[in-house]
Amino acid sequence: MLIIPCPHCGARDYTEFRYGGDASRPRPAHGTGTVNEWHDYVFVFDNPKGIHREYWQHVQGCRQWLVVERNTATNELSRAQLAREATRT
Amino acid sequence: MKHRYSAAALARHALTGKPWPRAWRAAPPKTDYDVVIIGGGGHGLATAYYLAANHGIKRVAVLERSYIGSGNVGRNTTIVRSNYMMPGNTEFFEHSMKLWEGLSHELNFNVMLSQRGQCVLAHGPSQFDVLARRGNIMRLNGIEAELLERNEVKALLPYLDYSAESRFPIYGGLLQRRAGTARHDAVAWGYARAADDHGVDIIENCEVIGFERDQDRITGVRTTRGTIGAGRTLISVAGHSSQVAAMAGLRLPVESHLLQAFVTEAIKPLVDHVISFGAELFYLSQSDKGGLVFGGHIDGFNTYTQRGQFHKVQNVAECAVAVMPSISRLRLLRHWAGIQDMTPDGSPFMGRTPLANLWLNGGWCYQGFKATPAAGWCMAHTVAHGEEHPLVRHLALDRFRSGNGYDEYAHGNWTYKQ
Ligand SMILES: Cc1cc2nc3c(=O)[nH]c(=O)nc-3n(C[C@H](O)[C@H](O)[C@H](O)COP(=O)(O)OP(=O)(O)OC[C@H]3O[C@@H](n4cnc5c(N)ncnc54)[C@H](O)[C@@H]3O)c2cc1C
Ligand SMILES: [Zn+2]
């Protein structure tokens, strides 16, 4: 069972959330970037076996977007923050 | 073949009580090979076999980090069919289907191909039209397909729900009679044994942990059993393509996702076809042991854990009962999972990489078992000739860069973004 600790709602089952994918790569600003940069942003994934920073939206709770750190080899969650407060690293 | 399997051999062994010889040698790694294949799943083994059998390239090693059959080749729901619609896929999967039809003889190993027929259900007129189109395209390509009206589906599959209360009423279906199932382990064992017979070294418990390179050329692999030189190297590791490609400094359009499969307690023979539900990604068949085998969608977030989430168990059980309410009292006995590559368009990558001498057969998800013979056939050709086989040219690794994403089913990794 994957349990996500929402900063607003507490520990909730992952089925209350919608997954939003890799949160570690910044989206190029509109009107900037080469085709290759956009290609890599849209289509290419680090896909790590280990710690992955990722978006989850608590659609059946507070509806906030979170940034969660999860180990993809074990599904252990180490951290969950509100996306707007999360710093990109 | 050194030890051919036959009725006579079976009788001889029964009478003498002599143990059967190993099906393939436990080959120790040599210092170098003409071709090194990373990954001893169905695809890697089939590629090795066709390299030797079709192209005379026999100094080949298959490196498997675990044991043969431990990957998705031994975890899938064993469905084989060739009812694909887009130019490229249609021909590729039909080539595979034809190879399946001769495979037990070719390998001298019974892969238990059961052409029981596969029926895709339509639950409304628009879905029926889409199936009609798919069937017409198949027939234009010389592949048999039958469009069935509701009453014809009912005659063929009387145990589904045709009641007025049905949540997803059955409107019609598309039947491919040559489709069916094959014994997945036998496919791995059969290709391994036949490749070994041609001199291919199958090296188990040998994990690739890095590459040897001379600038942009890959010259060998580092493994847990030492360094092995390679004229050409093929990555064929199913759900771990990103991991192995990263050892060569490559990033791929791939995420690794978990797919579960399910089997119920055994019942008497009832389901004599493979049935695909049309209202959700769900399908069912009955195994020779009597259990109903269910398959569904990926769990929906990238993971390497091989442990499915309960949510999917519920979802798949709901689909099963929606299409076949009579099985609602059956108990699920087991469920398990495999890690598969998911690509943005749900289609695999077969062919060159940016590095010389390094080839890729990856990105396989739901459709990879039925593809096994053709994937091996085409990859062997591709590696032997240094040029992609015509049947896989639509599957280039750089297709997104040129706007040529190849989306047959909208099955990509970002189902979670829809
Ligand atoms: C639950 C489930 C159901 C499925 N159902 C169907 C179906 O009904 N029909 C269908 O067509 N397809 C189906 N598939 C898909 C199909 O099983 C796969 O696409 C296909 O088996 C992948 O190719 P493979 O057999 O070579 O993979 P695998 O058997 O996974 O082989 C890859 C091998 O690479 C090895 N490996 C990984 N990393 C390394 C390394 N660093 N060094 C050495 N070796 C390494 C692994 O140990 C593994 O044995 C299903 C998949 C799953 C998980
Ligand atoms: Zn919340």
Side-chain angles (χ1 to χ4, degrees):
Chain A
M1 281 288 181
L2 196 58
I3 306 285
I4 299 179
C6 174
H8 285 308
C9 315
R12 314 296 296 212
D13 192 82
Y14 92 105
T15 52
E16 291 184 8
F17 295 77
R18 174 236 291 253
Y19 186 53
D22 191 346
S24 64
R25 298 169 309 153
R27 182 190 167 102
H30 279 298
T32 70
T34 62
V35 169
N36 273 343
E37 281 161 8
W38 277 100
H39 168 271
D40 288 359
Y41 172 72
V42 175
F43 293 115
V44 179
F45 301 86
D46 288 331
N47 194 20
K49 191 171 191 171
I51 299 296
H52 189 238
R53 275 167 64 80
E54 58 198 25
Y55 290 115
W56 291 87
Q57 187 191 10
H58 198 182
V59 284
Q60 290 175 31
C62 59
R63 299 201 57 82
Q64 295 301 300
W65 279 96
L66 312 182
V67 171
V68 172
E69 272 178 23
R70 179 175 56 94
N71 185 333
T72 61
T74 61
N75 277 347
E76 239 173 315
L77 300 184
S78 44
R79 198 163 173 212
Q81 304 167 267
L82 292 177
R84 66 180 120 84
E85 290 169 6
T87 47
R88 288 209 161 98
T89 44
Chain B
M1 192 140 299
K2 273 170 270 157
H3 300 279
R4 277 194 73 80
Y5 293 153
S6 65
L10 194 63
R12 207 165 47 242
H13 275 273
L15 290 176
T16 61
K18 268 207 330 223
W20 289 92
R22 284 184 67 101
W24 59 88
R25 294 163 294 131
K30 298 193 181 93
T31 51
D32 66 282
Y33 292 91
D34 292 341
V35 178
V36 163
I37 296 171
I38 309 171
H43 288 214
L45 294 165
T47 306
Y49 170 73
Y50 292 117
L51 272 172
N54 292 0
H55 304 280
I57 300 176
K58 304 191 174 190
R59 292 188 65 252
V60 176
V62 178
L63 310 183
E64 168 53 47
R65 70 168 174 189
S66 180
Y67 61 91
I68 295 300
S70 57
N72 290 349
V73 70
R75 293 167 187 270
N76 64 76
T77 45
T78 77
I79 292 159
V80 302
R81 56 187 170 86
S82 59
N83 51 2
Y84 287 73
M85 193 181 84
M86 282 174 50
N89 267 359
T90 316
E91 300 91 326
F92 174 86
F93 283 100
E94 176 59 8
H95 182 56
S96 212
M97 198 64 231
K98 288 187 173 141
L99 291 173
W100 278 115
E101 288 173 324
L103 200 58
S104 294
H105 283 277
E106 165 105 23
L107 301 180
N108 180 233
F109 203 106
N110 187 0
V111 299
M112 296 169 76
L113 178 69
S114 160
Q115 292 178 290
R116 59 188 68 180
Q118 187 240 15
C119 186
V120 189
L121 300 176
H123 304 281
S126 58
Q127 207 174 12
F128 191 66
D129 288 348
V130 172
L131 289 186
R133 177 161 177 253
R134 204 207 291 186
N136 287 340
I137 290 173
M138 289 166 62
R139 292 165 71 141
L140 284 170
N141 281 276
I143 305 166
E144 48 83 35
E146 290 167 53
L147 194 64
L148 306 180
E149 308 263 346
R150 175 182 161 91
N151 58 344
E152 293 169 305
V153 179
K154 190 172 178 182
L156 189 76
L157 313 171
Y159 41 82
L160 302 183
D161 187 6
Y162 301 92
S163 69
E165 294 77 49
S166 168
R167 172 70 182 83
F168 301 102
I170 292 169
Y171 190 89
L174 184 68
L175 175 69
Q176 186 185 20
R177 289 193 193 272
R178 285 161 65 230
T181 60
R183 173 71 204 266
H184 50 6
D185 299 314
V187 174
W189 299 333
Y191 271 120
R193 174 170 170 271
D196 172 270
D197 197 59
H198 279 290
V200 170
D201 283 354
I202 293 164
I203 304 169
E204 296 172 80
N205 300 309
C206 180
E207 180 171 0
V208 170
I209 50 177
F211 287 95
E212 294 285 306
R213 55 197 287 174
D214 176 7
Q215 293 172 9
D216 277 351
R217 295 170 68 83
I218 295 297
T219 58
V221 292
R222 287 198 298 279
T223 80
T224 47
R225 295 180 68 179
T227 298
I228 302 171
R232 279 158 278 180
T233 304
L234 171 66
I235 301 176
S236 189
V237 293
H240 282 77
S241 299
S242 300
Q243 295 292 307
V244 175
M247 297 172 197
L250 302 177
R251 291 169 78 230
L252 304 181
V254 167
E255 266 185 349
S256 298
H257 283 255
L258 177 157
L259 183 66
Q260 302 191 50
F262 311 82
V263 63
T264 69
E265 58 191 322
I267 53 174
K268 290 193 175 161
L270 170 66
V271 180
D272 50 1
H273 289 78
V274 177
I275 299 159
S276 281
F277 194 35
E280 165 67 298
L281 202 175
F282 168 78
Y283 52 86
L284 73 106
S285 66
Q286 186 166 17
S287 80
D288 294 336
K289 285 191 282 185
L292 299 186
V293 181
F294 301 149
H297 228 283
I298 51 177
D299 271 19
F301 55 91
N302 49 309
T303 180
Y304 290 90
T305 57
Q306 275 191 174
R307 277 200 309 270
Q309 298 291 324
F310 184 72
H311 167 61
K312 268 293 148 200
V313 184
Q314 181 180 355
N315 176 238
V316 160
E318 282 166 354
C319 290
V321 172
V323 70
M324 207 174 152
S326 58
I327 58 174
S328 67
R329 309 284 291 269
L330 272 188
R331 278 164 290 206
L332 275 182
L333 279 194
R334 294 183 288 129
H335 71 128
W336 63 93
I339 302 304
Q340 53 182 18
D341 283 4
M342 294 299 300
T343 64
D345 56 6
S347 297
F349 300 114
M350 298 182 74
R352 68 193 65 213
T353 70
L355 298 172
N357 300 346
L358 183 66
W359 300 84
L360 173 67
N361 173 27
W364 286 101
C365 55
Y366 304 98
Q367 74 289 61
F369 178 67
K370 63 188 70 68
T372 304
W377 179 283
C378 294
M379 261 349 277
H381 174 104
T382 300
V383 172
H385 293 269
E387 182 76 42
E388 283 79 359
H389 188 283
L391 285 176
V392 300
R393 298 225 169 113
H394 57 297
L395 302 173
L397 179 57
D398 63 0
R399 62 178 175 263
F400 300 108
R401 215 177 284 280
S402 51
N404 287 310
Y406 187 86
D407 198 342
E408 168 110 27
Y409 272 128
H411 272 177
N413 61 319
W414 34 42
T415 44
Y416 55 80
K417 289 188 178 162
Q418 285 159 3

